[in-house]
Amino acid sequence: MLVASAVCPCPPLLVPEVAAGAAPELDAARAACTDALGVLAAARPDLLVVVGTAGQGEHGPYPQGTRGTFRGFGVDLDVRLGPAGPSVPERELPTSLAVAAWLLERTGWADAPIEGLGVPDTLEPEQCAATGRELAGRAGRVALLVMGDGSACRTLKAPGYLDERAAPFDAEIARALAAADAAALRALDPGLARELKAAGRAPWQILAGAAEHTGLTGSLLYEDAPYGVGYLVATWS
């Protein structure tokens, strides 16, 4: 059963070494992520599952101990998803899960075993819900760390340029996360999310499936779009 969830953004810029001189711009987001992980730890889960979007060839499960790297962003920095296991997985973490691994290392997570799951951003809502229900049944007390960004079209300089639909889209996500409104997340339009380059749509809908019939309450810890991309931090517990 799902007992807690944290929703965090997953831009590589969240890692100060990647952001370099621009690092202070996301200090508030990092602090909110730390607080969100504290809520997960307080729930005393038996298992933590980290969910994030992944590219072609990166889909599927990632066992505890899987390594990730930010060398592709010009930084000599490696991370690992929890402590090393008896064998070293061959695949590296996709970027969204590497950012999650960095957050978990930063906060010294040692509260439960960790698994990762990379999903395509094209995963249909029904499949997302089914995936969420399956994850929630993986242990007696399951926590989710859900990695995903909002629209990338909030300003003229945003990666997707300015789209007037972006701000209302992100505002509805923020409202749904604050209210732990799983039905609203399930109702997100995949086509609109794709047009607005909102990479968090599938992970959020997985959360919605996992949270069915749990009665969790939500709290929105952070909402901003410093680079024209919607970043949100929230907890359900």
Side-chain angles (χ1 to χ4, degrees):
M1 177 180 177
L2 183 71
V3 294
S5 175
V7 174
C8 293
C10 57
L13 289 174
L14 204 60
V15 179
E17 291 89 339
V18 175
E25 295 178 24
L26 287 179
D27 279 348
R30 294 183 193 99
C33 290
T34 298
D35 291 343
L37 292 182
V39 171
L40 294 187
R44 304 186 314 279
D46 301 318
L47 174 67
L48 173 64
V49 182
V50 184
V51 180
T53 53
Q56 190 70 30
E58 297 180 322
H59 306 154
Y62 289 83
Q64 180 167 288
T66 303
R67 291 187 175 277
T69 185
F70 293 97
R71 296 178 190 234
F73 300 96
V75 175
D76 186 14
L77 176 64
D78 296 329
V79 292
R80 181 163 36 208
L81 192 65
S87 60
V88 179
E90 293 183 4
R91 291 199 303 172
E92 287 188 346
L93 296 169
T95 299
S96 64
L97 300 190
V99 173
W102 177 81
L103 286 172
L104 292 164
E105 287 186 358
R106 179 173 181 259
T107 55
W109 179 271
D111 299 273
I114 308 172
E115 296 178 5
L117 179 65
V119 298
D121 61 7
T122 55
L123 199 66
E124 291 298 325
E126 297 79 8
Q127 295 173 294
C128 291
T131 299
R133 288 190 290 268
E134 190 274 329
L135 293 179
R138 294 290 301 279
R141 299 179 63 83
V142 175
L144 289 184
L145 175 52
V146 180
M147 307 298 294
D149 300 339
S151 70
C153 305
R154 293 279 293 272
T155 66
L156 292 173
K157 294 184 178 181
Y161 197 65
L162 177 64
D163 190 314
E164 294 181 353
R165 300 171 297 174
F169 178 89
D170 287 343
E172 172 58 12
I173 301 300
R175 186 206 64 78
L177 292 175
D181 189 343
L185 294 182
R186 286 195 299 270
L188 292 175
D189 180 355
L192 176 60
R194 195 173 304 116
E195 290 173 12
L196 296 178
K197 303 185 185 303
R201 191 274 308 170
W204 297 331
Q205 290 187 321
I206 289 172
L207 166 60
E212 288 178 0
H213 314 302
T214 60
L216 299 179
T217 58
S219 178
L220 185 67
L221 307 183
Y222 176 88
E223 178 193 6
D224 203 357
Y227 303 107
V229 181
Y231 296 148
L232 305 108
V233 180
T235 59
W236 290 12
S237 62

